[in-house]
Amino acid sequence: MTQKYMSIEDFNETLKEWTGKTIEISKHELADDDNTILELTSISYSKDTRRLDEYEPMHTLQLNGSGEINTDEKKQQSLPSSLYEIPIEDSTIYKFEDSKFTLITDRGTYTIKLATDE
């Protein structure tokens, strides 16, 4: 098991190599768990300096592409837009371990890996 902590720059460069592939994103944020399958077409970031409160992130990782989210009822629904957003902070920890990324923020944990045909 190889674990590597990364800078955001290293994370960005490594994740870009997955463009054009199908990824799976698992989110555990507060009491909310979601799994999303996404055809990754591009990666971008946004910065919002006009936040209404501290819950809105200043920085957001945007995974662009079409996909489906698995709901609590074990049903799949199309994503409402061609964008999956992950809030990031200056304190976000980026790890790469066993062919998967883990982003740890104050709000939750996000895991990104290549999807498999199981």
Side-chain angles (χ1 to χ4, degrees):
M1 175 168 35
T2 303
Q3 179 174 302
K4 176 183 171 189
Y5 290 92
M6 320 176 86
S7 67
I8 189 169
E9 294 83 8
D10 290 339
F11 165 78
N12 185 54
E13 287 303 312
T14 306
L15 186 59
K16 279 184 179 179
E17 294 174 10
W18 290 5
T19 300
K21 298 181 180 175
T22 303
I23 61 171
E24 181 179 344
I25 307 155
S26 300
K27 172 185 82 167
H28 178 72
E29 184 178 278
L30 303 174
D32 185 24
D33 292 325
D34 291 329
N35 284 326
T36 302
I37 302 294
L38 182 78
E39 298 286 334
L40 185 62
T41 57
S42 66
I43 300 160
S44 57
Y45 295 86
S46 71
K47 182 176 182 179
D48 184 4
T49 57
R50 306 179 93 196
R51 302 180 299 162
L52 299 176
D53 59 39
E54 290 300 313
Y55 188 75
E56 293 184 36
M58 181 174 287
H59 303 282
T60 305
L61 166 63
Q62 299 173 328
L63 303 173
N64 303 284
S66 60
E68 295 180 334
I69 187 166
N70 293 322
T71 65
D72 292 335
E73 296 84 34
K74 305 293 184 218
K75 296 180 182 174
Q76 290 186 337
Q77 295 179 336
S78 295
L79 287 175
S81 71
S82 60
L83 182 67
Y84 186 96
E85 295 184 315
I86 298 176
I88 55 176
E89 306 144 351
D90 291 339
S91 61
T92 297
I93 297 171
Y94 304 89
K95 293 193 313 185
F96 188 71
E97 178 180 12
D98 295 333
S99 302
K100 69 180 177 185
F101 295 98
T102 303
L103 282 72
I104 303 169
T105 71
D106 292 340
R107 290 169 54 169
T109 301
Y110 302 82
T111 303
I112 305 167
K113 64 181 184 177
L114 291 174
T116 58
D117 296 326
E118 295 180 2

